[in-house]
């Protein structure tokens, strides 16, 4: 199936409708650093409508629109939280309407999770930080230091697990980067680091859970060390190698992790691959039929928690509008639509009209 026959650039934003418990989703378009062109698209699955630049339409009074570099997105109860790395703030909006509610200054913010009325946000600021934000009044409660340049994080049983990358610790004198390979374990009650686990894998990036297994991925040094996927024992901090192919994007459903990897040869020619991770075993699997789709730069992968349908985003040349592709659970393409610049993260909506 060719993209141009599925509705890319449909001026009316029409897409095939899907009836499920999940009524729609947001697409966070990262934008280009320094261009202040992060944006938010809205997809109404029940009515079959794709709306570009939804946040700006819902908030015409905001002259600067959404902000610079949309890095993460989360729906927590009635709130939509968007992490704007370049702007150094969290945008708080209504989960169903995307109407602006508040802004929370968090310098160099990266990723966010929510638990029990608090947001926890990783930040590159001050060498590496974790911020705690109240959802009652959206004030910053506290900040603690973690490892250098923290990325994603996960909450489990009263503890926050923060993946540290060290990706900015470049030494011009030696021409090397002192990558981190640690996980900072934080007690959520006291908001203190109680343990630092050395994983043995450099440049930690993403974390995901399937069943009771926690998987992490590292990006290595972009050279001799390509990165890896490994399991992590939350109790002991021990790790076990699963794959020497690092994951770029992943999502989980029904105990299985669906993963996408982009690796490069010595001439920086990309190789895009897909795989499934289950019970600690990774196998390459073409679970999406990409024949005729023409993917340039895979930038996001997510799965409809109600239907098992997939969303795959393509950043194209990273400076012009990208594309969102929606696939049936069986891997067949349903529709494609033009998005904003660098479409990356998805947030699923329940209850949209």
């Amino acid at each position: 199936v060719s993209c141009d026959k599925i509705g890319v650039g449909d001026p009316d934003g029409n897409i095939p409708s899907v009836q499920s418990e999940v009524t729609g989703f947001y697409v966070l378009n990262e934008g280009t650093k320094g261009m202040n062109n992060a944006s938010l698209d809205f997809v109404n699955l029940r009515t079959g409508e794709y709306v570009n630049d939804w946040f700006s339409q819902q908030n015409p009074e905001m002259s600067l629109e959404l902000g610079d570099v949309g890095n993460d997105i989360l729906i927590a109860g009635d709130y939509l939280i968007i992490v704007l790395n370049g702007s150094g703030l969290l945008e708080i909006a209504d989960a169903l309407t995307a109407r602006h509610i508040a802004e929370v200054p968090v310098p160099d913010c990266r990723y966010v999770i929510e638990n029990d009325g608090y947001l926890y946000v990783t930040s590159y600021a001050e060498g590496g930080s974790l911020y705690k934000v109240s959802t009652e009044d959206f004030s910053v409660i506290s900040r603690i230091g973690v490892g250098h340049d923290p990325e994603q994080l996960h909450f489990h049983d009263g503890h926050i697990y923060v993946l540290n990358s060290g990706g900015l610790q470049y030494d011009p004198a030696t021409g090397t980067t002192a990558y981190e390979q640690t996980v900072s374990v934080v007690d959520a009650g006291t908001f203190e680091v109680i343990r630092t686990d050395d994983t043995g894998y450099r440049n930690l990036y993403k974390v995901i859970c399937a069943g009771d297994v926690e998987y992490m991925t590292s990006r290595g040094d972009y050279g001799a060390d390509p990165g890896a996927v490994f399991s992590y024992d939350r109790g002991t901090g021990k790790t076990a190698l699963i794959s020497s192919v690092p994951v770029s994007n992943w999502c989980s459903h029904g105990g299985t992790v669906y993963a996408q990897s982009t690796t490069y040869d010595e001439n920086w020619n990309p190789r895009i691959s897909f795989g499934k991770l289950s019970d600690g075993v990774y196998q390459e699997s073409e679970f999406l039929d990409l024949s005729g789709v023409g993917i340039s730069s895979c930038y996001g992968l997510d799965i409809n928690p109600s239907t098992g349908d997939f969303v795959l985003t393509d950043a194209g040349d990273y400076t012009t509008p990208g594309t969102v592709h929606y696939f049936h659970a069986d891997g067949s393409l349903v529709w494609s639509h033009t998005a904003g610049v660098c479409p990356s993260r998805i947030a699923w909506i329940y209850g949209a009209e």
Side-chain angles (χ1 to χ4, degrees), residues 6 21 51 81 85 137 153 178 187 193 257 268 281 293 301 325:
I6 305 293
E21 185 181 4
V51 185
I81 298 100
N85 172 258
D137 60 3
L153 65 169
D187 184 302
V193 176
V257 174
W268 284 98
V281 178
V293 176
L301 175 68
H325 304 284

Side-chain angles (χ1 to χ4, degrees), residues 300-336:
L301 175 68
D302 216 318
I303 192 164
N304 186 322
S306 179
T307 65
D309 295 345
F310 295 94
V311 173
L312 180 69
T313 70
D314 184 356
D317 64 3
Y318 300 99
T319 60
T320 56
T323 308
V324 171
H325 304 284
Y326 192 92
F327 296 81
H328 272 309
D330 64 9
S332 60
L333 182 66
V334 182
W335 54 263
S336 300

Side-chain angles (χ1 to χ4, degrees), residues 18 20 26 41 50 54 80 133-134 154 180 188 205 216 320 352:
V18 176
S20 73
Y26 292 118
D41 296 349
Y50 191 114
W54 176 246
L80 170 67
V133 177
S134 169
H154 175 65
E180 284 264 14
Y205 184 31
M216 297 181 179
T320 56

Side-chain angles (χ1 to χ4, degrees), residues 21-26 42-43 45 75 95-96 347-352:
E21 185 181 4
V22 171
T23 57
F25 60 93
Y26 292 118
F42 169 57
V43 180
L45 291 174
I75 291 178
L96 293 183
W348 300 97
I349 304 168
Y350 296 80

Side-chain angles (χ1 to χ4, degrees), residues 171-248:
D171 183 353
T174 62
T176 60
T177 302
Y179 291 111
E180 284 264 14
Q181 54 187 40
T182 63
V183 172
S184 297
V185 183
V186 177
D187 184 302
T190 63
F191 202 53
E192 297 176 342
V193 176
I194 60 171
R195 198 176 79 216
T196 300
D197 295 334
D198 188 337
T199 66
Y201 300 96
R202 292 187 292 177
N203 198 1
L204 303 185
Y205 184 31
K206 292 187 174 183
V207 57
I208 197 168
C209 290
D212 197 40
V213 182
E214 188 155 323
Y215 301 104
M216 297 181 179
T217 185
S218 66
R219 291 182 287 193
D221 61 5
Y222 308 102
D225 177 2
V229 174
F230 56 95
S231 63
Y232 168 81
D233 187 303
R234 291 182 289 261
T236 65
K238 292 182 178 180
T239 61
L241 178 66
I242 292 174
S243 172
S244 295
V245 177
V247 167
S248 304

